Amino acid sequence: MNYLCPSILAADFWELGRQVETVEKAGAPYLHIDIMDGMFVPSISFGMPVLQCVRKRSKLFMDVHMMVAEPERYIEELIRLGADGITIHVEACDRIPETLGRIRELGVKTGLAINPETPVSAVLPYMELVDMVLVMTVHPGFGGQEYIIDCIDKIKEVRRLIDQSYFGVKLEIDGGVTLGNLEMNLAAGANVIVTGSAVFKGDIEANVREFLKRM
Ligand code: DX5
Ligand code: ZN
């Protein structure tokens, strides 16, 4: 099973409510919430009030991507506001097992992300604690960047690891995903597909339907 996960970072915030309704009605199962702190990544996006607001009106699975230093500081608050899954970066957290353990203890799905330059071996010690591995296919911090083709080998490597020893763990990719490279990414083994610009630019409903048709 593959899951489309539109990233609201690419939404028009004037129209946020309507645009989330549109992706939901068109059948996307997940919504990707990119939280950036201006420290772990250069940019600042949005945070708790946006999650809270979207959560209240939407039944979509809220997939929170924490591009934040020391993400352990925010776990309880994110869960209180309605996160369904929380992904932290292996590069941003000194207390990974404790943080993933805490997320699970509170009944929420765990994710661990690696940047393009981080090897797959960095997630190995934590595989028992994760429900999802996120392989970044751009340098995190901005939407609308070009897919980094070298990441495809890492996607395949994580897929092999999951199939051999961690059956059921999801494999998410994030950054530069388009209808043009979707098939290649699915074939490599990704099954949670984040996409910002390719869904929110242009006809959102038609974009979501086209992605879903090809998944
Ligand atoms: C990048 C974010 C992504 C971004 C994807 O730092 O984590 O989720 O919104 O946007 P596109 O699909 O436009 O690359
Ligand atoms: Zn993201």
Side-chain angles (χ1 to χ4, degrees), residues 7 9 32 34 36 65 67 136 138-145 174-177 194-197:
S7 166
L9 188 64
H32 189 75
D34 280 312
M36 303 179 184
H65 179 193
M67 285 165 278
M136 288 304 300
V138 297
H139 296 288
F142 303 95
Q145 303 182 75
D174 183 8
V177 178
V194 176
T195 168
S197 322

Side-chain angles (χ1 to χ4, degrees), residues 28 30-31 33 35 39 43 52 56 59 62 66 68 78 81 97 105 107 117 124 126 136 144 176 181 183 190 201:
Y30 283 27
L31 199 68
I33 314 284
I35 301 188
M39 295 294 289
S43 188
Q52 181 177 34
K56 273 194 190 148
K59 296 209 165 20
M62 294 295 151
M66 291 296 281
V68 169
L78 290 169
L81 297 178
E105 191 177 279
E117 65 279 6
L124 265 180
Y126 315 109
M136 288 304 300
N181 60 27
E183 197 182 331
K201 304 297 171 220

Side-chain angles (χ1 to χ4, degrees), residues 150-204:
D150 293 349
C151 299
I152 199 80
D153 290 334
K154 275 167 51 179
I155 300 169
K156 292 179 186 163
E157 197 181 336
V158 175
R159 172 47 59 202
R160 276 196 300 273
L161 177 69
I162 290 172
D163 288 351
Q164 277 164 12
S165 314
Y166 301 99
F167 190 75
V169 170
K170 292 191 169 73
L171 172 40
E172 183 173 64
I173 54 163
D174 183 8
V177 178
T178 62
L179 284 167
N181 60 27
L182 175 65
E183 197 182 331
M184 169 186 86
N185 281 294
L186 294 172
N191 60 2
V192 181
I193 308 297
V194 176
T195 168
S197 322
V199 157
F200 285 96
K201 304 297 171 220
D203 184 337
I204 297 172

